């Protein structure tokens, strides 16, 4: 059917909604929505299948707005197609506690797949969504049951195209030949600094070709609806490569300032608004107007989506009969619950078991649980042998044509692309059938900070396996030894930072990471061997903190994590023998989980009346929450054999003892000596 | 002169030194040095000009080993050419307190230009070095005085090529047409996960072409010395583009395991070592052997470098006579001192001056000082109008052919490339004639965390202008509102994190950032207006913390930063009026600088005897160092007009007062009530 007036009306309705909403909030970005309204109309109304009444339907096509500042485009579409996003929500754009915040937030707004705005993230998320689709299709589709065949569409602008994370993800997608991924590049030549010619003169399509993508160019992206449709259709036919369509558009199309950065991040002036409305045949005196025929057209498409889901539900019901095990598995995965009894596979340890590096303990966990948790997809940013992230029988997730693995494979080779890995994992998690875990050195989780933040903000169950977690990595030296990293992520809301001290604590970290459906985790692991502790159990460790060594009449509590817990235990002996001082030890592998325990429990662990000293071989920042005094490392580390490095910085029983003595002495006269667990008032949450 | 036995001997000497050193330390990466010894020999001995006796000579050619794990290559070269790096230093490879750490560290090792190892960083640094060269040449070179014409050479491997930061920097370099930048890509097809075919199948040269680079391929990088020389020579002739040479090499060339990842990150086994030595004609029983003729050849080249410097010094002496002002400026810059009296240009403010956003105050500083500080190069990651980083008359640093600026330009358009920007700024700073300042939103400094860490570790005077520093940015919402960011960078050693409260504090932040020769700074600035404080002076603020409001008989100290200081001052009034409580206020714009003050001063600012409450609208982490209780925001923010967002989270005079009352009450009975400035023991530094 050729495009006609109704299509144009719908396109202009989208444009004007964006104009009105940004004007009302006096804030936001009208330019991208006005430029991308045509392709959005075609994509949503001609190509995408979705059911607005059930935004969680598994086989829906996924849409990601990587240039998330243009979110009024997405909100307008969600509203017009009938998602639970009302005109009042549109009018509340960018207001406190609205579901239409300044950038799209997956956790808060129905129909928003992933949280975008920080540039490049959505692009990487889309690659993750496409990976999850390809993998899930390979696992679950059977002859006659094409259960999972959705496309992932992503819009991105010049800003995303410049970001390194998008380059990393694009290179990965090209390698992986993700045929169901279609990216649409809003080539409007405008970013905040004005014409992109000031900084960005590369040949973007040639770059994508170099990555192995199929590329197309639609020159008249504002007006040539047929060419847009043809390009999307062509991209859908290309099955062995991801596709990118360069769409040359005019930012702020229709505005007096169209084609300039004046329309990028500022609402239109009132005269300009009137002019736009007149130009598009709208009443210049009215705002937030949607012609009924536009609603009708879009609701009809939505109804088709609802019908498609109904068909799919029938198909899935049949599938569950014919492929009982797989069907039950998929149904379970969609609840995000884990299989009953899975946790019995978690390894546990006795004190007599040998000393083992916690990165190896982590490997043992993966080895033990991968069979019972088919949704777990491990991987590494090119540090497989160092991160110990790969179980022995793992198959790589690879295009079969490479001869290196299969689509069913559950091991990701992310390459040296930490940020891309993290952004991809967020997308994989958002798909709904997968729990991604990815490894790098703890120090290089910082490269991925932008995406880790979004794992937390958007409630993704993503696991960062972060080995080489301290100066204990030894010879690689200060460039690789984390000092600030744990403090950084402990200060980030809604993420668990685990630093287990032994095997039981490592299993506890995985237990919590895997069962916390809405919280990502970083599990910090050692390169060096750690003894199995006397006092550790999985049951204690899942509380985030517990008394590892109780001692009647203790004069001080040593609070520690990871590799320093066993040194603290040695320090207790030293203190008794050399100083006749009685000390007790607390292991605190995860602050966030410990914080969530009842106050009574926490006060038993870190009691009133005696001082406490924290012991952790990195920044002391934040340890005041759990200790009166802090022993740490507020400087960069050193390159050398790790035991020598530890000795250099006095992380020895003697070094701890010396500071314990000073701490006891210092707090002798303070009355009452309260546990730091007690506070004058509660924090807002 | 054709290549002969002596060349081969030299190449093999480099290889075997890398083998011996990694074997002795039982740690490190022999593979890359063995593969890249041929190109290193040719580059250092045929093309590069440098004086090992003065590694700081301005016009030396710069060499960057971006694949820093191959640092034994660099250490071997530095030793062989006669830098102050002895054979004992080589034998001390990767030992505590050696000058041959596990990755190259610029601050510790003579001849190492930049600190590398975290992948991709060196590549971005090299782009920065080349920018600094191009700019300095444009500023200082005059007819007859080609003072500054060095090349920058960078080696990078597959790992660097995969990292987003390198993509960002390469795109920037292509746009900037940096003709004196020559990159050599060690195309050895091996990374830690094995063959790069598992994750990295893109066409790297095509990608660089897309960026605008000149590309070449040397197929026999292990053996074809003539082709290597010809390619470098050709690259030097290309003056309007950066050049990359893809050099196909065999990792671990000579080892039994050559061409496999077995030789990437592990020392060779002892049999293999013997075999390599025999193969190369060395005594298999001896280690750390350098044939005298190799020393002789290399020392001869070093002598030529020394002579070149001597010539240059004469030229510069003449230049200083003929171009007095420029000559004096260049000489001064090389000391890293600022011009006398420059600080008198810093704006100061009276309480009666209007309320201004600190990002605007920062702009006023740049406007005021740019004339007297010609070494200051500002810029932004595509947020110029939001970061307020550009003085009115600024000229862009651009290739003249673009018509957008000039090589003399002092304003950088970094594009939306935060990580690339930071890595480039590290290189610009390392060049020695420039102080780079670059802007982005505070939240997106996290994208650059990998490079910020290296600014700190390698002692670079780099300034991060970080605007939109809190929920005070309002409508953009949680994706853009920093919560954890200040905690993150406050936990990083050797960096100043400033959060000024008004105009005088903003000037103080710049004063300290510009005069601290070996410490980078992050200056966190508001989007919203801030009043000029009664109690602020530049002289007080440069202490990092001071009493902003003293009050006799105060019952509590409110300790705050940035936009919350004025709210805390309002809270004092509220407390007096509504609760008859007397409070005092401390402004603490920079923890690191305050920490360095004498204890006596700090105790005057945060005294014993009364409790203190910190007030900062982000993570409370770390504030326990300066306060007994903490009022902050340990959750994500909200999208809305900023005053409403502040009210939602109770960051109002009332909200602060409520918590002050609770704090006073809670500490009433504690005796003695010590200032948190007092500690039981000192931290190691």
């Amino acid at each position: 059917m050729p495009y006609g007036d109704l299509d144009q009306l719908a396109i202009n309705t989208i444009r004007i909604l964006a104009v009105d909403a940004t004007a009302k909030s006096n804030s936001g970005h009208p330019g991208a929505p006005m430029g991308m309204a045509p392709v959005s109309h075609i994509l949503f109304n001609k190509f995408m299948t979705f059911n607005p009444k059930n935004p969680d339907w598994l086989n829906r096509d996924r849409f990601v707005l990587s240039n998330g500042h243009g979110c009024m485009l997405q909100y307008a579409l969600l509203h017009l197609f009938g998602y639970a996003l009302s005109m009042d929500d549109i009018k509340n754009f960018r207001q406190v506690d609205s579901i239409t915040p300044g950038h799209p937030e997956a956790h808060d707004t129905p129909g928003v797949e992933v949280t975008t705005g920080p540039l490049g993230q959505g692009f990487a998320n889309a690659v993750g969504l496409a990976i999850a689709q390809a993998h899930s299709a390979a696992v679950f589709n059977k002859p006659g049951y094409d259960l999972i065949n959705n496309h992932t569409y992503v819009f991105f602008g010049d800003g995303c195209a410049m970001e390194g994370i998008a380059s990393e993800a694009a290179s990965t997608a090209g390698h992986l030949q993700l045929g169901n991924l279609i990216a649409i590049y809003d080539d409007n030549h405008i970013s905040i600094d004005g014409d992109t010619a000031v900084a960005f003169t590369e040949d973007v399509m040639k770059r994508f070709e170099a990555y192995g993508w199929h590329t197309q160019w639609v020159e008249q992206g504002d007006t040539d609806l047929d060419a847009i449709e043809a390009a999307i259709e062509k991209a859908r036919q290309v099955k062995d490569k991801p596709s990118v369509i360069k769409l040359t558009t005019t930012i702020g199309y229709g505005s007096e300032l169209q084609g300039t950065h004046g329309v990028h991040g500022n609402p239109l002036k009132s005269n300009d608004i009137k002019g736009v409305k007149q130009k598009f045949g709208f009443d210049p005196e009215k705002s937030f107007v949607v012609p009924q025929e536009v609603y009708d057209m879009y609701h009809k498409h939505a109804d088709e989506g609802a019908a498609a889901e109904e068909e799919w539900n029938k198909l899935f019901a049949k599938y569950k009969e014919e492929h009982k095990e797989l069907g039950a598995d998929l149904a379970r995965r969609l609840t995000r619950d884990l299989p009953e009894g899975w946790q019995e596979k978690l390894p546990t340890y006795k004190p007599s078991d040998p000393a083992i590096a916690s990165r190896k303990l982590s490997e043992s966990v993966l080895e033990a649980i991968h069979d019972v948790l088919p949704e777990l997809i491990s991987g590494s940013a090119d540090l497989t042998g160092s991160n110990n992230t790969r179980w022995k029988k793992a198959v790589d997730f690879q295009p079969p044509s490479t001869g290196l693995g299969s689509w069913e494979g559950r091991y990701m080779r992310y390459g040296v692309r930490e940020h891309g890995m993290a952004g991809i994992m967020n997308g994989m998690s958002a798909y709904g059938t997968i729990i991604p875990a990815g490894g790098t050195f703890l120090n290089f989780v910082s490269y991925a900070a932008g995406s880790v933040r979004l794992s937390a903000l958007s409630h993704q169950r993503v696991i960062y396996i972060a080995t080489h977690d301290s100066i204990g990595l030894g010879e690689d030296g200060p460039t690789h030894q984390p000092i600030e990293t744990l403090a950084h992520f402990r200060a980030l809301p809604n993420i668990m930072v685990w630093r287990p001290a032994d095997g039981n604590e490592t299993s506890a970290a995985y237990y919590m990471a895997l069962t916390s459906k809405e919280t990502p985790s970083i599990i910090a692991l050692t390169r060096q061997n750690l003894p199995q502790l006397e006092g550790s159990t999985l049951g204690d460790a899942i509380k985030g903190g517990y008394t590892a060594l109780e001692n009647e009449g203790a004069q001080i509590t040593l609070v520690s994590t990871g590799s320093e817990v066993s040194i603290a235990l040695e320090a207790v002996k030293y203190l008794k023998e050399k100083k006749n001082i009685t000390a007790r030890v607390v292991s605190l592998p995860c602050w966030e989980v410990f914080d969530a325990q009842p106050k009574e429990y926490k006060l038993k662990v870190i009691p009133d009346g005696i001082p406490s000293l924290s012991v952790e071989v990195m920044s002391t920042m934040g340890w005041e929450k759990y200790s009166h005094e802090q022993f740490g490392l507020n400087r960069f580390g050193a390159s050398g054999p790790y035991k020598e490095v530890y000795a250099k910085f006095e992380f020895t029983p003697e070094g701890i003892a010396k500071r314990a003595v000073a701490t006891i002495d210092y707090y002798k006269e303070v009355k009452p000596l309260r546990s730091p667990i007690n506070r004058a008032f509660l924090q807002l949450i």
Side-chain angles (χ1 to χ4, degrees), chain A residues 189-413:
Chain A
H189 286 279
I190 294 296
S191 64
I192 292 180
D193 270 18
D195 194 306
T196 53
V198 302
F200 189 55
T201 43
E202 62 172 66
D203 182 339
V204 178
M205 287 303 99
K206 185 169 181 177
R207 172 154 67 90
F208 273 79
E209 274 168 32
Y211 296 139
W213 287 56
H214 178 263
T215 67
Q216 297 179 78
W217 181 22
V218 175
E219 292 190 52
Q220 306 294 337
D222 298 321
T223 51
D224 193 346
L225 306 187
D226 293 312
I228 294 172
E229 180 180 333
I232 297 174
E233 186 52 49
K234 171 81 191 156
R236 286 164 60 99
Q237 285 161 19
V238 175
K239 285 291 170 198
D240 59 345
K241 288 178 174 190
S243 273
V244 60
I245 300 167
K246 171 167 130 171
L247 189 74
T248 300
T249 70
T250 304
I251 193 168
Y253 185 84
S255 158
E256 291 167 4
L257 298 172
Q258 71 175 33
T260 75
H261 80 290
V263 80
H264 169 88
N266 300 304
L268 271 53
K269 302 258 181 305
S270 73
N271 267 348
D272 194 8
I273 294 174
K274 286 183 184 169
V276 169
K277 289 182 180 173
Q278 270 166 333
K279 194 177 302 176
F280 291 154
F282 281 63
D283 183 341
E285 301 307 323
K286 289 189 180 161
S287 295
F288 299 105
V289 171
V290 176
Q292 188 57 42
E293 55 266 49
V294 172
Y295 276 135
D296 291 346
M297 171 171 61
Y298 283 164
H299 289 172
K300 181 162 167 283
H301 184 74
D303 290 343
E304 290 162 13
E309 187 192 351
E310 213 164 308
E311 277 306 300
W312 188 92
N313 287 336
K314 284 182 202 153
L315 187 72
F316 186 39
K318 247 181 84 189
Y319 178 90
K320 281 192 279 195
E321 306 226 323
E322 191 164 336
H323 300 282
K324 280 208 167 55
E325 216 170 304
L326 279 173
D329 181 33
L330 180 55
R332 176 190 62 74
R333 289 200 202 186
L334 294 177
T335 66
R336 305 211 173 199
D337 289 331
L338 305 186
E340 221 163 308
W342 74 276
Q343 71 274 12
E344 280 153 35
K345 296 281 184 178
L346 284 168
T348 55
Y349 297 82
K350 300 181 302 296
S352 56
D353 287 331
I356 308 176
S358 54
R359 61 173 172 158
K360 292 289 291 179
L361 295 164
S362 161
E363 182 178 53
S364 296
V365 171
L366 296 174
E367 197 64 68
I369 66 173
H370 76 268
D371 260 350
V372 288
L373 291 185
E375 60 266 56
L376 181 65
I377 307 258
S378 189
S380 166
D382 194 52
L383 286 166
T384 297
S386 301
N387 296 146
N388 300 86
T389 34
R390 196 169 193 269
W391 52 85
K392 281 195 198 76
K393 291 186 179 161
V395 173
D396 280 9
F397 176 83
Q398 297 277 3
S401 69
T402 60
L404 298 169
S406 72
W407 296 123
E408 293 95 325
R410 289 170 52 201
Y411 193 77
M412 298 292 304
R413 302 285 185 173

Side-chain angles (χ1 to χ4, degrees), chain A residues 464-678:
Chain A
Y464 296 93
I465 301 175
T467 70
H468 296 63
D469 73 344
S470 77
I471 58 168
L473 63 82
E475 290 89 347
D476 273 347
T479 55
H480 287 52
Q481 292 165 346
I483 299 295
E484 76 286 7
T485 319
L486 293 191
H488 170 192
F489 293 112
R490 284 168 176 162
L492 182 65
N494 192 40
I495 188 166
M496 291 183 280
V497 177
W498 284 89
R499 190 169 186 248
D502 73 351
N504 293 328
E505 291 194 9
T506 304
S507 288
Y510 274 96
Y511 177 83
M512 291 302 293
L514 289 160
T515 55
S516 302
K517 295 182 185 178
E518 304 231 335
T519 305
S521 303
I522 295 172
I523 306 181
L525 300 162
T526 65
R527 176 173 184 259
Q528 73 272 27
N529 285 340
L530 303 180
Q532 308 304 325
L533 304 181
E534 286 278 348
S536 91
T537 66
L538 198 152
D540 279 334
I542 60 172
K543 294 178 187 152
Y546 64 95
T547 306
L549 176 72
E550 196 51 280
N551 245 335
E552 211 174 322
Q555 296 154 273
I556 188 167
T557 302
L558 303 177
V559 190
S560 187
T561 72
S563 40
E564 284 77 74
V565 178
S566 59
I567 310 178
L569 288 164
E570 290 299 313
V572 170
K573 291 183 202 157
Y574 182 94
L575 279 164
K576 181 48 86 183
E577 281 167 24
K578 304 281 169 119
K579 310 278 178 186
N580 197 28
I581 284 173
T582 306
R584 58 196 293 282
V585 174
V586 166
S587 181
L588 208 66
C590 182
W591 295 10
E592 297 78 11
V593 171
F594 183 67
D595 288 350
Q597 302 304 320
K599 188 173 174 190
E600 197 180 27
Y601 173 75
K602 290 189 281 188
L603 275 174
K604 260 180 73 179
V605 175
I606 304 173
D608 289 320
I610 60 171
S612 52
L613 170 67
S614 72
V615 180
E616 187 177 60
V617 70
M618 47 191 72
S619 171
T620 56
M621 184 168 287
W623 269 109
E624 298 90 345
K625 268 174 80 179
Y626 310 103
S627 62
H628 295 89
E629 296 289 319
Q630 297 77 38
F631 180 29
L633 195 60
N634 293 311
R635 51 155 285 166
F636 289 108
S639 170
Y642 86 89
K643 286 185 183 169
E644 292 174 32
V645 178
Y646 264 71
K648 175 182 169 73
F649 297 120
E650 302 182 21
F651 273 82
T652 56
E654 297 83 340
I656 296 171
K658 185 170 102 183
R659 287 161 180 87
V661 170
T663 300
I664 293 168
D665 193 49
Y666 184 74
Y667 286 91
K668 214 170 272 171
E669 50 177 314
V670 176
K671 302 286 180 237
L673 184 57
R674 289 165 174 156
S675 163
I677 295 299
N678 295 297

